Amino acid sequence: MHFQHLAARVALAALVLAVLTAAGAILGVRLGLFGFAVGQAVMIPAAVLGVAALICALAWLKSAIGRNDGTAKRSGLVALVGALLFLYPLASYGWYGVMGLPIHDATSDPEDPPQFVALAKLRTAAQNPVAFDGQRKVRWDGEDVPIAYALHEYKNGLITKPHSQLMPNNKNPQATLFWRCFKIVNGLGWHIVDYSQKEGRIEATAASPWFGQISDVVVRVRPSGYLGARYDVRAQSRMGEKDHGFNVGLVRAFKDRADS
């Protein structure tokens, strides 16, 4: 069989196997057939198959260009594009796992984080405790630093910069900001579990895109001086010690909309 044709067929076959393996891992976790750790382990051979598909597709491309021959171009191009699309989210996940903050609990106020109330009652003993441990040290940027310090330093204070909003012509800034935050939470597609305007508290859940791992989110709104109000947000994974940047991403997504 012509090498070029063989490379394209092997690349496409490896891609199909990679996608099926990854789909099996995701569905297995989401359907409760096995745990998150098993699902992550199954993704390793899926990634290997994806890399194999990319290598074979590149071999096909090199042969096609070198020989000026379009043999098996449909299979080769599908495998090449498909492998790139398949590997990109896996590479991003791995990148954030290595370069991101090694935490599972992110907040805009590490000194006085918002507290879970309704969501705390849904936790089991096997899941992460709801208490925020800002002084626990983690390895980040080549140093062992407290989580609170890392959050303050992350991207030059992007997460923890001031969140107060002045409303000099508003009779009730706290209520106005509360319902603005409520609308943002809805707009982000999070599932609201409980809220109280009186307490300035909104609690919701958000699921990770692949395995559907649940993170609990709480937004706190309170007065800031006489003319304004301040919000703070916190997101915490129910399971796992590292979230590969997911909860920081939730906090950032909320802040981007609240500050716009």
Side-chain angles (χ1 to χ4, degrees):
M1 184 181 293
H2 195 289
F3 168 77
Q4 191 171 312
H5 189 71
L6 178 63
R9 291 186 64 179
V10 172
L12 188 58
L15 176 62
V16 171
L17 287 174
V19 172
L20 290 176
T21 303
I26 293 170
L27 287 175
V29 173
R30 285 183 172 269
L31 295 176
L33 301 178
F34 44 77
F36 177 56
V38 174
Q40 282 190 312
V42 175
M43 290 298 287
I44 295 175
V48 172
L49 286 167
V51 171
L54 180 60
I55 292 173
C56 291
L58 289 174
W60 165 84
L61 181 63
K62 181 180 179 181
S63 177
I65 293 175
R67 296 166 57 90
N68 195 26
D69 181 3
T71 298
K73 61 182 179 181
R74 181 176 298 178
S75 298
L77 288 174
V78 169
L80 179 61
V81 175
L84 290 172
L85 292 175
F86 176 77
L87 290 172
Y88 176 76
L90 291 176
S92 298
Y93 185 76
W95 170 262
Y96 282 111
V98 174
M99 302 302 296
L101 295 176
I103 60 176
H104 65 276
D105 193 352
T107 178
S108 60
D109 187 356
E111 280 67 48
D112 183 19
Q115 300 298 311
F116 298 109
V117 178
L119 289 171
K121 300 174 183 177
L122 302 179
R123 294 288 181 92
T124 66
Q127 295 176 334
N128 290 325
V130 296
F132 179 77
D133 188 2
Q135 296 308 306
R136 181 170 69 88
K137 290 190 175 182
V138 295
R139 189 72 177 176
W140 181 65
D141 202 21
E143 298 181 86
D144 293 324
V145 298
I147 291 176
Y149 173 83
L151 287 170
H152 280 303
E153 293 296 310
Y154 180 75
K155 292 189 180 295
N156 297 318
L158 178 65
I159 297 297
T160 59
K161 66 181 181 180
H163 321 295
S164 296
Q165 297 185 7
L166 292 176
M167 305 177 194
N169 298 318
N170 193 302
K171 294 182 179 179
N172 194 339
Q174 182 182 9
T176 300
L177 184 58
F178 176 87
W179 291 111
R180 185 181 301 169
C181 290
F182 187 91
K183 183 177 180 181
I184 291 171
V185 170
N186 263 328
L188 288 168
W190 300 345
H191 173 66
I192 295 177
V193 175
D194 190 44
Y195 64 93
S196 170
Q197 179 186 333
K198 181 179 179 180
E199 298 175 15
R201 173 178 50 83
I202 305 168
E203 294 185 75
T205 59
S208 64
W210 286 4
F211 294 106
Q213 292 297 103
I214 298 298
S215 281
D216 291 332
V217 184
V218 55
V219 179
R220 179 184 64 201
V221 180
R222 53 186 178 180
S224 179
Y226 294 102
L227 303 175
R230 167 184 174 134
Y231 75 84
D232 281 293
V233 58
R234 177 184 174 194
Q236 184 194 59
S237 300
R238 290 187 183 179
M239 300 290 290
E241 284 296 311
K242 297 180 182 179
D243 60 17
H244 290 252
F246 183 64
N247 291 301
V248 167
L250 294 176
V251 174
R252 287 187 61 181
F254 183 90
K255 284 175 55 60
D256 287 344
R257 295 201 184 190
D259 295 340
S260 62

